[in-house]
C-alpha cells in the first residue's frame, strides 16, 4: 500500500514510524527541512522537501498511485486543500486533520466526500473521549468500549489489595470465568500471558470483560475503596479541556484553571451553557489549589501544552491526596518516565490520531483501532468476513501470529468472551490485542476469500 503524509509534525512523524515498521510504501512531504533531518535513515520512508499543498510535490511523491493521502499539518485549511489536490490527482482515499468541531457533524460527511476528503480527524476530540471515559471510572488507567460497552477492556494498576495476585492465570481465567487477562505490563516489559503466568503487585493488567461484570472486576482488583469522581480540577484551558467540559457527565463538578486572562474570557463564552467554573490562575500554585478545594477533589487533569508542567502538576496533586490524575504527555520520550512516576492516565493526541488513520490502511473490515502506549501495542476491532480463515477453525487452531490474542467478540449485540474452543462466525466483531505491530499480519485472517 502506498501512503503519502503531508506534514512532518508530531502526528506525521509518529504515523511514519508506524508505517515503516509495517514496511509500507510511505512518502513524507514537509516544507521545513529541519523536520525531515534523519528520518529517511531512521525509518524506511521517502521524504520530499516541499509544501504538501504543492501540486508538483504531490506528483513527485506519486500521489496518482496513492492508496491514502493524509494531511496532518498544523493548519486545518492547508490539510483540507492538500487532500482536495490529492484526490483530484488520483489518490484513492484522503484524511485531513482539523480543529473545527462543526465539521464532524455526520450530515456533513457527504459534503466533504464531494470535495475529495474521505475522513476527518480532530485529535482533541479523540483525547477528550479518552479522558471522559477515564474520569467515569476513577480506579481504571485505560478503558476501551466496543459496541457501546458490550465488551470492555480495562487497564488497571494492581496493588497489594488485589485478591488475584500470585496465582497462575489458569486458575483465574477459565472458559467460564467472566474476564480474560490479555496483557500485563511489568516494569519495562510487556507479557502476553499464558496459563502459568501470574499477576504481581504493581503490574498493569489489561482485563477483557463484559459490561455487567465491571463491578466484579473492581472487587477482585481491590479497587472498591476508590471514591467515584464528582469533583474535577482541570489545569489548562485549551481545546481538549473545552471538549472534556462539554462531554463530561452532568454529575461532575468541573473547575478549569487557566493562566491566560484573555483565554479565561474565551472559555466563559465557550462554556456558557455548561456547569463548569473558569478560574484565572496557575494550576501549579499550591495555595490556589487548596483554596479551590483540592482536598475534596477526586480527579486532577493536566492539559497544558507543556509535558513537564503536566507531569509535575499531577505529582503535586497526588501529594495533596488526589487519587485520579490524568496528564497530557505530548513528548513520547516522557511517557515511560510518567508511568514510572505512577502519574495515572496518560494521554497522547498524536498516538490517538495515528491509530485512527492507521485503521484506514487495513484491507479487512476494521471499525476501531486504539494504541496502548504503555505496552507498545494496539487493540483493534475486526469484523469477520464470510469465508474468512478466522471462521473456519476454533480459535486454538487458527495459528495466530505470536503476540496476538483474541479477548472477546460481539455477536448480535451481545458481548462474548473468547477461549480456545470458540468458533468465530461471519459478522462477529472481534476484539484483538496485537503486540509489536501485528495488525497487518492479522488482517488476512478476517478478509473474505483469502487463499491459503
Amino acid at each position: 500500500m502506498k501512503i503519502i503524509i503531508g506534514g512532518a509534525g508530531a502526528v506525521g512523524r509518529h504515523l511514519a514510524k508506524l508505517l515503516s515498521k509495517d514496511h509500507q510504501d510511505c512518502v513524507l512531504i514537509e516544507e521545513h527541512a529541519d523536520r525531515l533531518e534523519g528520518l529517511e535513515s531512521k525509518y524506511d520512508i521517502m521524504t520530499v522537501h516541499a509544501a504538501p499543498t504543492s501540486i508538483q510535490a504531490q506528483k513527485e511523491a506519486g500521489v496518482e498511485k496513492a492508496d491514502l493521502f493524509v494531511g496532518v499539518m498544523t493548519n486545518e485549511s492547508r490539510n483540507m486543500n492538500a487532500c482536495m489536490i490529492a484526490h483530484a490527482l488520483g489518490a484513492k482515499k484522503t484524511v485531513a486533520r482539523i480543529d473545527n468541531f462543526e465539521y464532524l457533524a455526520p450530515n456533513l460527511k457527504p459534503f466533504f466526500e464531494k470535495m475529495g476528503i474521505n475522513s476527518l480527524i480532530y485529535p482533541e476530540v479523540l483525547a477528550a473521549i479518552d479522558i471522559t471515559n477515564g474520569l467515569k471510572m476513577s480506579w481504571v488507567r485505560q478503558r476501551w468500549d466496543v459496541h457501546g460497552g458490550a465488551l470492555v477492556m480495562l487497564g488497571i494498576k494492581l496493588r497489594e489489595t488485589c485478591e488475584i495476585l500470585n496465582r497462575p492465570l489458569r486458575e483465574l481465567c477459565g472458559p467460564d470465568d467472566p474476564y480474560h487477562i490479555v496483557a500485563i505490563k511489568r516494569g519495562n516489559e510487556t507479557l502476553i500471558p499464558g496459563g502459568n503466568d501470574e499477576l504481581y503487585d504493581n503490574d498493569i493488567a489489561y482485563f477483557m470483560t463484559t459490561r455487567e461484570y465491571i463491578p466484579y472486576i473492581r472487587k477482585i482488583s481491590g479497587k472498591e475503596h476508590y471514591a467515584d469522581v464528582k469533583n474535577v480540577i482541570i489545569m489548562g484551558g485549551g481545546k481538549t479541556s473545552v471538549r472534556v467540559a462539554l462531554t463530561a457527565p452532568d454529575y461532575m463538578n468541573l473547575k478549569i484553571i487557566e493562566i491566560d486572562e484573555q483565554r479565561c474570557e474565551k472559555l466563559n463564552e465557550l462554556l456558557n451553557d455548561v456547569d463548569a467554573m473558569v478560574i484565572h490562575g496557575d494550576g501549579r500554585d499550591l495555595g490556589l489549589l487548596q483554596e479551590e478545594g483540592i482536598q475534596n477533589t477526586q480527579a486532577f487533569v493536566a492539559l497544558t501544552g507543556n509535558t513537564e508542567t503536566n507531569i509535575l502538576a499531577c505529582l503535586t496533586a497526588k501529594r495533596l491526596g488526589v487519587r485520579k490524575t490524568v496528564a497530557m504527555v505530548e513528548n513520547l520520550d516522557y511517557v515511560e518516565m510518567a508511568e514510572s512516576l505512577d502519574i495515572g492516565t496518560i494521554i497522547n493526541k498524536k498516538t490517538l490520531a495515528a491509530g485512527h488513520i492507521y485503521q484506514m490502511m487495513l484491507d479487512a473490515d476494521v471499525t476501531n483501532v486504539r494504541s496502548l502506549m504503555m505496552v507498545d501495542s494496539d487493540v483493534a476491532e475486526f469484523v469477520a468476513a464470510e469465508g474468512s480463515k478466522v471462521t473456519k477453525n476454533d480459535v486454538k487452531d487458527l495459528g495466530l501470529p505470536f503476540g496476538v490474542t483474541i479477548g472477546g467478540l460481539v455477536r448480535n449485540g451481545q458481548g462474548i468472551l473468547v477461549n480456545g474452543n470458540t468458533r468465530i462466525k461471519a459478522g462477529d466483531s472481534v476484539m484483538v490485542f496485537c503486540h509489536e505491530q501485528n495488525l497487518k499480519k492479522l488482517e488476512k485472517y478476517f478478509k473474505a476469500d483469502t487463499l491459503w
Side-chain angles (χ1 to χ4, degrees):
M1 179 175 281
K2 185 176 182 67
I3 302 103
I4 298 176
I5 303 170
V11 176
R13 288 196 302 273
H14 186 68
L15 188 57
K17 177 182 176 182
L18 292 178
L19 297 176
S20 68
K21 287 184 178 181
D22 274 349
H23 305 291
Q24 301 289 333
D25 181 3
C26 177
V27 183
L28 183 58
I29 308 175
E30 170 59 52
E31 58 191 316
H32 299 291
D34 58 311
R35 293 185 178 179
L36 296 176
E37 284 183 11
L39 290 182
E40 284 194 352
S41 58
K42 190 175 183 180
Y43 306 130
D44 184 19
I45 60 171
M46 186 181 101
T47 60
V48 175
H49 177 212
T53 51
S54 163
I55 294 174
Q56 184 58 39
Q58 290 202 19
K59 286 182 177 180
E60 182 182 338
V63 72
E64 72 281 357
K65 296 180 180 178
D67 297 285
L68 179 66
F69 180 91
V70 182
V72 284
M73 294 171 279
T74 55
N75 185 283
E76 170 187 80
S77 298
R78 297 190 70 202
N79 290 331
M80 297 175 76
N81 287 338
C83 285
M84 287 187 281
I85 292 169
H87 173 76
L89 293 175
K92 293 178 183 176
K93 286 183 180 180
T94 66
V95 56
R97 176 183 179 175
I98 61 166
D99 56 17
N100 188 332
F101 185 73
E102 175 193 5
Y103 294 165
L104 295 179
N107 63 303
L108 291 178
K109 185 173 176 60
F111 169 76
F112 286 112
E113 286 188 337
K114 285 182 181 178
M115 294 171 61
I117 305 171
N118 301 107
S119 184
L120 300 168
I121 56 166
Y122 191 161
E124 286 75 12
V125 169
L126 300 176
I129 292 170
D130 260 23
I131 294 166
T132 302
N133 282 340
L135 292 177
K136 290 176 183 176
M137 301 173 70
S138 60
W139 49 282
V140 168
R141 289 288 178 93
Q142 283 184 290
R143 172 177 174 167
W144 195 68
D145 290 9
V146 179
H147 284 259
L151 270 180
V152 182
M153 188 198 72
L154 304 173
I156 303 172
K157 181 86 170 188
L158 304 182
R159 308 292 188 184
E160 58 183 12
T161 53
C162 176
E163 63 185 59
I164 57 174
L165 298 180
N166 307 310
R167 293 171 57 191
L169 291 183
R170 65 175 181 274
E171 297 179 7
L172 304 172
C173 307
D176 299 322
D177 288 301
Y179 67 91
H180 289 162
I181 306 293
V182 295
I184 302 169
K185 177 68 183 299
R186 182 171 297 152
N188 296 326
E189 183 183 7
T190 296
L191 303 176
I192 306 298
N196 294 324
D197 288 305
E198 300 179 3
L199 297 171
Y200 299 140
D201 187 18
N202 285 320
D203 283 351
I204 298 179
Y206 288 83
F207 291 76
M208 196 75 75
T209 189
T210 52
R211 181 168 39 204
E212 64 268 29
Y213 287 106
I214 290 177
Y216 177 73
I217 301 299
R218 183 174 188 174
K219 175 183 178 299
I220 64 173
S221 59
K223 302 293 184 178
E224 288 185 302
H225 62 289
Y226 274 59
D228 291 332
V229 174
K230 292 184 179 178
N231 299 318
V232 182
I233 291 179
I234 300 175
M235 184 177 76
K239 293 177 182 177
T240 305
S241 301
V242 171
R243 300 316 315 171
V244 170
L246 291 172
T247 56
D250 292 338
Y251 63 82
M252 288 186 187
N253 303 311
L254 271 62
K255 293 181 179 180
I256 300 176
I257 301 176
E258 168 57 46
I259 200 167
D260 183 88
E261 187 173 1
Q262 289 186 334
R263 181 60 182 172
C264 286
E265 294 175 3
K266 183 64 176 179
L267 287 171
N268 281 319
E269 293 176 18
L270 294 171
L271 303 176
N272 185 51
D273 298 326
V274 177
D275 186 17
M277 181 184 296
V278 179
I279 299 161
H280 177 224
D282 189 338
R284 297 167 296 183
D285 184 335
L286 291 179
L288 176 62
L289 291 175
Q290 290 168 342
E291 184 180 325
E292 295 302 331
I294 190 75
Q295 66 275 10
N296 297 315
T297 296
Q298 293 81 41
F300 182 88
V301 185
L303 301 178
T304 75
N306 186 289
T307 292
E308 295 93 330
T309 296
N310 293 339
I311 292 173
L312 290 172
C314 284
L315 288 173
T316 300
K318 276 189 169 291
R319 196 180 75 186
L320 294 172
V322 180
R323 277 196 177 273
K324 178 75 174 182
T325 58
V326 181
M328 182 76 77
V329 179
E330 285 300 283
N331 187 337
L332 285 174
D333 295 333
Y334 281 56
V335 169
E336 190 172 306
M337 182 190 74
E339 171 55 28
S340 68
L341 293 170
D342 206 17
I343 289 299
T345 300
I346 296 169
I347 301 292
N348 183 278
K349 291 183 291 186
K350 61 188 172 189
T351 58
L352 292 172
H356 184 88
I357 296 166
Y358 190 78
Q359 75 184 53
M360 298 182 66
M361 300 158 30
L362 301 173
D363 295 330
D365 188 353
V366 186
T367 56
N368 215 341
V369 173
R370 290 290 305 278
S371 178
L372 306 177
M373 292 181 296
M374 293 297 96
V375 284
D376 191 21
S377 304
D378 299 307
V379 181
E381 181 187 351
F382 283 89
V383 179
E386 190 75 46
S388 58
K389 185 185 180 184
V390 79
T391 64
K392 295 179 180 178
N393 288 290
D394 292 345
V395 168
K396 67 178 184 296
D397 299 320
L398 289 175
L400 295 172
F402 178 77
V404 169
T405 183
I406 295 177
L409 60 85
V410 178
R411 181 179 295 160
N412 300 322
Q414 181 182 1
I416 302 171
L417 293 178
V418 169
N419 59 60
N421 297 318
T422 302
R423 178 67 68 94
I424 295 169
K425 296 182 180 180
D428 286 349
S429 291
V430 184
M431 203 169 184
V432 184
F433 183 95
C434 309
H435 185 45
E436 298 290 356
Q437 308 298 326
N438 274 301
L439 283 185
K440 288 299 291 182
K441 296 178 185 177
L442 189 63
E443 64 173 339
K444 60 187 178 183
Y445 286 78
F446 292 86
K447 291 167 60 177
D449 300 322
T450 303
L451 298 177
W452 295 86

